[in-house]
Amino acid sequence: MQQSRQFGVGQPVRRVEDRRFITGHGTYLDDITLPRQAHAVVLRSPHANARIRAIDTGEAAALPGVLAVLTGADLAADGIGTIPCLSGVDGAALPPRPALVRDRVRHVGDSVALVVAETPAIAHDAAERIAVDYEPLPAATDTAHAADPGQPQVWDEHPGNLCFDWEVGDRGAVERAAAGARHRVALTLVNNRIVVNSMEPRGAIGAYDAGTGQYTLWSSTQGSHFIRNVLADFVFKIPENRIRVVTPDVGGGFGMKLFCYPEHVLALWAARRVGRPVKWVPERSDSFMTDTHGRDNVTRLDLALDAELHFLALDVAITANMGAYLSNFAPEIPTYSGAVMHSGVYRIPAIHVGVKGVFTNTVPVDAYRGAGRPEAAYALERLFDVAARRLGVAPAELRRRNFIAPAAMPYATPLGLTYDSGDFVRNMNDALTAFDTAGFAARRAESRARGRYRGLGLAVYIEQSGMPPDEFAELRFDPSGTLTLLMGTQSSGQGHHTAYAQLAAERLGVAPDKIRVVQGDTDAVAFGRGTGGSRSLPVGGAALVHAADKLVAKGRKIAAHLLEAAEADIAFADGAFTIAGTDRAVPIEAVARAAFNPAQLPPGLEPGFAESGHFTPPAPTFPNGCHVCEVEIDPDTGDIAVLRYLVVDDFGNVVNPLLLAGQVHGGIAQGIGQAMLEHVVFDADSGQLVSGSLTDYALPRADDLPALEFRYNVVPCRTNPLGLKGAGEAGAIGAPPALVNAVVDALAELGIEHIDMPLTREALWRRIRAATAAKAA
């Protein structure tokens, strides 16, 4: 029992998955090879916008070793459906997205043809021999101007490139409050587009059993059940039980692997056509052109304040780039996920947010770590820093005057959400105290003496995570007394196996070496929603606890029979059922073994020891925190040195502090990557992806970051039985505004008020030179 307590909730347990990963025993998509497996390559469009006049596949099909060359016409002839957008945004235009296009490509990398061959090399050679007659057309790529008159049209059926025009809040209340304001502060900013670049690229292996009509897809996903449902219901239009989706180990997802992609469709369809398993594994260049991208918003904010600098009203107008097609959830990211978070952690009596989604001839955009919440937090925290500087008050003081107080919880925001818990001023005060902000002036002076600029920035964030709908867990003991957890979520590196095992150990007292976790197989796990929105522990963990409680209830009946006692007298703790007030007990493993022996069961109780649980959260959780960042800038090179970075977060109750710190560290690294380095660039005239490889697209390295300092306050959540809040995305939400605020603070003496991300060396060098020249003049 001592071992299970050491492995229980709140303990800094090292990940049980790590041994097999670091010794090379993980199983990723590319590690899987099926008998008679063929290989697929997708021919990609070199144009951002073009009509297809003709496709000649003859030379490619004649190449020895080629099994099939398939086009959009073949796909349509076989009645294969298009990939749906499942957005709940009313009025959104929903153009079709076929797995292979027939008549017009709409972004560089669009899928034109599929080659299936004996080897990847042969498939690549054949793809190069497909002759496509294109009629190039002008392309629309710029988010801010995609809806302007005269812009090229991505979809003729949707004029003005408008996908949707959506709003939340009370425009009239904002106008009335702003009319009586003492101060008005406006800011327009860009949230730059980024490529996810997970360590393991996407991939798909399709197989088809002609005897049973059963499809099987192996793929690196964040939710095998969701992929199965889309493929069955919308694409192949067959019962769900005829498609099995298996997700092996996943090397990073960050939202991008949530979705159904054309290659999922093509692998299964091609396998049926050629009568052999078909494997598609992309090169990194494929990932740049076909993985969903993240962010890409232009936001205008207008803040109204009274004479005491209390917030009165906020008006926000967002233009959100959807790309050429709508990915599965794309319209919901800037709207229901992001727009509704523009109240932040502040009392703002009146808010209105309008969001226009626009089509462009670019790669589709969908959820990326934080999914709308980083965009909202960045916009707010930059706005409040600009407001503080213009109005002559310290950034922390402006925030402090406008925080929602803990006593106000639960707090209903003007945008329809209700925060159940949080102590925002405590997080900020703790972070600033730990950071020694009182000593910053001396540190800044020392930097200036060396010809450098030093700045300090903070950002206070809140996000919604662990959202509905429900999640599923099944706990199944076998006759030996060992436990299998079947979970409907999917790990992509977060440490699910460890965290779920800790919850089971805590609830059932089972030693960790007797617990196995199963995810990612629709034939093994009955149901699941997948992993996204930091919902695995708040929702999946709650389902696990519910199932565990049902197991204990059944175990109490069996234990009472074994101990010859009344069920009401049986207590359960530390993995053992005990007759209350005595030392007579039976461990849960013995109860599990007895459950499979009808002779040891009370009359009327079915054999077996397994229970399932669902949990539907009544509302999201709202993790929150404060990031503080200190930087030094070399004006001669534009180089940013991040000297120190500290964060104080509130994730409610904590299951595993080590896993939690890892999630925060990873999120901060990605947030700083976006703020300083990462940027997707399309050529304005041709729509070509200029930053289409790791040669032209910078990712953060170890020397870009200092040692990250992480602390947390525990304010339990009230909307799930574990009292915990989702943590997977928080670091990426607070980091961009904290970094940019620090850089602008460093350069404020030059008259620089705002710089759009990414803050590359070149961008800073040019701004510093221009500001220095203007100041000298």
Side-chain angles (χ1 to χ4, degrees):
M1 301 307 173
Q2 183 64 29
Q3 186 182 19
S4 63
R5 283 197 295 271
Q6 291 175 346
F7 200 75
V9 169
Q11 299 302 311
V13 178
R14 292 187 179 275
R15 302 195 326 170
V16 298
E17 303 97 319
D18 285 351
R19 179 176 178 81
R20 65 188 181 88
F21 289 150
I22 64 177
T23 57
H25 291 92
T27 302
Y28 296 92
L29 191 282
D30 201 27
D31 295 322
I32 298 172
T33 300
L34 302 180
R36 301 181 63 245
Q37 175 178 280
H39 298 269
V41 167
V42 180
L43 179 68
R44 307 289 182 190
S45 167
H47 300 286
N49 194 13
R51 292 189 181 91
I52 298 176
R53 295 192 184 103
I55 302 178
D56 184 352
T57 62
E59 184 179 354
L63 193 69
V66 171
L67 303 176
V69 182
L70 304 171
T71 67
D74 300 314
L75 193 77
D78 282 0
I80 305 300
T82 57
I83 299 171
C85 173
L86 303 175
S87 167
V89 175
D90 291 340
L94 303 174
R97 188 185 187 187
L100 293 174
V101 299
R102 296 180 62 185
D103 54 356
R104 183 174 168 185
V105 295
R106 288 180 166 85
H107 70 89
V108 172
D110 216 346
S111 305
V112 176
L114 181 75
V115 177
V116 183
E118 295 287 356
T119 69
I122 295 172
H124 278 286
D125 287 347
E128 293 178 357
R129 302 187 188 201
I130 299 173
V132 184
D133 182 8
Y134 292 104
E135 177 191 348
L137 302 169
T141 61
D142 186 78
T143 303
H145 299 290
D148 290 355
Q151 282 289 302
Q153 299 300 289
V154 181
W155 295 92
D156 295 336
E157 303 90 332
H158 305 297
N161 290 326
L162 184 66
C163 177
F164 59 84
D165 190 348
W166 182 92
E167 62 181 342
V168 64
D170 189 335
R171 185 193 299 270
V174 168
E175 292 173 350
R176 290 189 295 273
R182 177 69 177 272
H183 305 283
R184 297 281 292 273
V185 179
L187 177 66
T188 298
L189 48 79
V190 173
N191 206 291
N192 48 315
R193 179 187 282 232
I194 50 182
V195 176
V196 176
N197 271 310
S198 58
M199 186 175 293
E200 180 204 21
R202 295 187 297 114
I205 304 173
Y208 178 73
D209 186 329
T212 63
Q214 179 82 17
Y215 294 88
T216 302
L217 174 71
W218 290 262
S219 186
S220 177
T221 81
Q222 289 176 231
S224 52
H225 292 83
F226 172 75
I227 302 300
R228 179 197 65 181
N229 297 350
V230 170
L231 291 169
D233 296 345
F234 296 95
V235 178
F236 292 97
K237 304 180 181 83
I238 58 177
E240 290 179 3
N241 63 8
R242 283 185 53 196
I243 296 182
R244 178 190 181 192
V245 177
V246 181
T247 297
D249 292 323
V250 179
F254 311 113
M256 176 270 294
K257 290 181 181 174
L258 272 169
F259 317 117
C260 184
Y261 285 90
E263 294 81 10
H264 293 142
V265 178
L266 297 176
L268 292 177
W269 174 57
R272 191 182 77 188
R273 293 276 302 224
V274 303
R276 291 169 58 174
V278 173
K279 182 175 187 176
W280 172 79
V281 175
E283 297 180 348
R284 184 64 63 174
S285 59
D286 272 308
S287 299
F288 274 88
M289 293 189 294
T290 65
D291 292 355
T292 54
H293 291 179
R295 316 298 189 229
D296 203 345
N297 291 355
V298 177
T299 304
R300 179 194 59 77
L301 305 103
D302 189 347
L303 177 68
L305 306 91
D306 67 14
E308 286 73 38
L309 304 187
H310 295 132
F311 300 155
L312 297 176
L314 176 65
D315 188 58
V316 183
I318 301 170
T319 302
N321 197 334
M322 298 288 100
Y325 302 96
L326 293 183
S327 180
N328 295 148
F329 301 111
E332 295 191 18
I333 305 310
T335 55
Y336 292 112
S337 290
V340 296
M341 296 307 302
H342 278 83
S343 52
V345 296
Y346 307 99
R347 299 185 313 274
I348 310 176
I351 308 176
H352 174 265
V353 185
V355 187
K356 290 186 178 180
V358 295
F359 292 114
T360 61
N361 293 114
T362 64
V363 179
V365 176
D366 209 315
Y368 169 66
R369 200 170 193 168
R373 286 91 78 190
E375 295 91 313
Y378 178 73
L380 288 178
E381 293 303 296
R382 282 297 301 127
L383 174 67
F384 298 149
D385 253 41
V386 169
R389 195 167 302 280
R390 289 186 190 173
L391 300 172
V393 64
E397 176 58 25
L398 181 63
R399 290 169 170 84
R400 190 174 285 112
R401 293 186 192 188
N402 291 281
F403 279 143
I404 302 164
M409 300 296 173
Y411 179 83
T413 78
L415 298 177
L417 297 177
T418 298
Y419 301 160
D420 68 286
S421 59
D423 191 342
F424 313 130
V425 69
R426 177 187 174 192
N427 292 337
M428 186 180 76
N429 288 344
D430 287 356
L432 294 178
T433 300
F435 210 85
D436 183 25
T437 53
F440 174 70
R443 299 194 296 273
R444 169 175 271 173
E446 188 274 332
S447 291
R448 287 303 290 126
R450 293 185 287 105
R452 306 292 177 93
Y453 296 100
R454 187 183 288 244
L456 189 148
L458 67 93
V460 185
Y461 79 92
I462 189 169
E463 66 146 327
Q464 56 171 333
S465 66
M467 295 164 279
D470 61 331
E471 194 46 79
F472 170 83
E474 182 179 356
L475 277 60
R476 184 187 300 164
F477 277 92
D478 59 39
S480 70
T482 59
L483 175 63
T484 298
L485 314 179
L486 298 104
M487 304 300 302
T489 57
Q490 176 62 51
S491 175
S492 56
Q494 303 94 325
H496 284 192
H497 289 212
T498 302
Y500 286 141
Q502 282 184 259
L503 287 176
E506 174 82 12
R507 212 72 176 186
L508 299 175
V510 179
D513 59 353
K514 295 184 177 180
I515 299 174
R516 183 172 71 105
V517 179
V518 174
Q519 295 179 294
D521 185 341
T522 58
D523 274 11
V525 182
F527 176 82
R529 301 286 187 183
T531 292
S534 303
R535 68 191 310 271
S536 293
L537 279 185
V539 188
L544 185 158
V545 167
H546 182 45
D549 290 346
K550 292 165 70 175
L551 267 178
V552 170
K554 182 173 184 178
R556 188 174 282 111
K557 298 178 186 294
I558 299 171
H561 185 72
L562 294 174
L563 295 170
E564 298 179 331
E567 182 182 340
D569 294 335
I570 300 297
F572 180 76
D574 295 330
F577 294 91
T578 307
I579 300 176
T582 76
D583 59 359
R584 294 184 61 203
V586 58
I588 192 169
E589 292 89 345
V591 169
R593 288 192 289 271
F596 291 90
N597 184 350
Q600 292 185 287
L601 295 178
L605 195 65
E606 291 187 359
F609 204 41
E611 292 287 353
S612 63
H614 282 259
F615 176 70
T616 302
T621 70
F622 294 98
N624 57 88
C626 179
H627 291 229
V628 187
C629 177
E630 190 166 323
V631 302
E632 187 177 72
I633 300 169
D634 182 346
D636 295 328
T637 63
D639 181 68
I640 302 171
V642 183
L643 303 176
R644 190 179 177 196
Y645 200 105
L646 181 143
V647 57
V648 176
D649 282 318
D650 163 22
F651 296 122
N653 294 329
V654 174
V655 172
N656 185 321
L658 277 180
L659 295 183
L660 183 61
Q663 288 296 295
V664 172
H665 288 182
I668 291 171
Q670 287 182 295
I672 289 180
Q674 178 184 6
M676 289 198 343
L677 301 165
E678 300 184 48
H679 191 200
V680 174
V681 178
F682 293 98
D683 180 78
D685 295 324
S686 67
Q688 291 295 320
L689 180 58
V690 178
S691 55
S693 74
L694 291 175
T695 301
D696 305 298
Y697 186 95
L699 292 174
R701 301 182 181 184
D703 61 357
D704 291 312
L705 301 172
L708 302 174
E709 302 171 56
F710 169 55
R711 308 177 184 198
Y712 57 86
N713 291 320
V714 176
V715 182
C717 172
R718 304 174 186 175
T719 55
N720 65 65
L722 297 173
L724 56 84
K725 306 170 185 179
E729 296 161 295
I733 295 171
L739 188 282
V740 176
N741 285 346
V743 170
V744 173
D745 181 62
L747 302 178
E749 65 180 87
L750 298 176
I752 294 174
E753 184 179 72
H754 176 70
I755 309 175
D756 278 322
M757 300 184 291
L759 308 184
T760 63
R761 291 180 176 91
E762 180 184 1
L764 283 190
W765 179 80
R766 291 185 181 279
R767 285 297 296 273
I768 292 169
R769 279 176 59 89
T772 303
K775 191 174 182 181

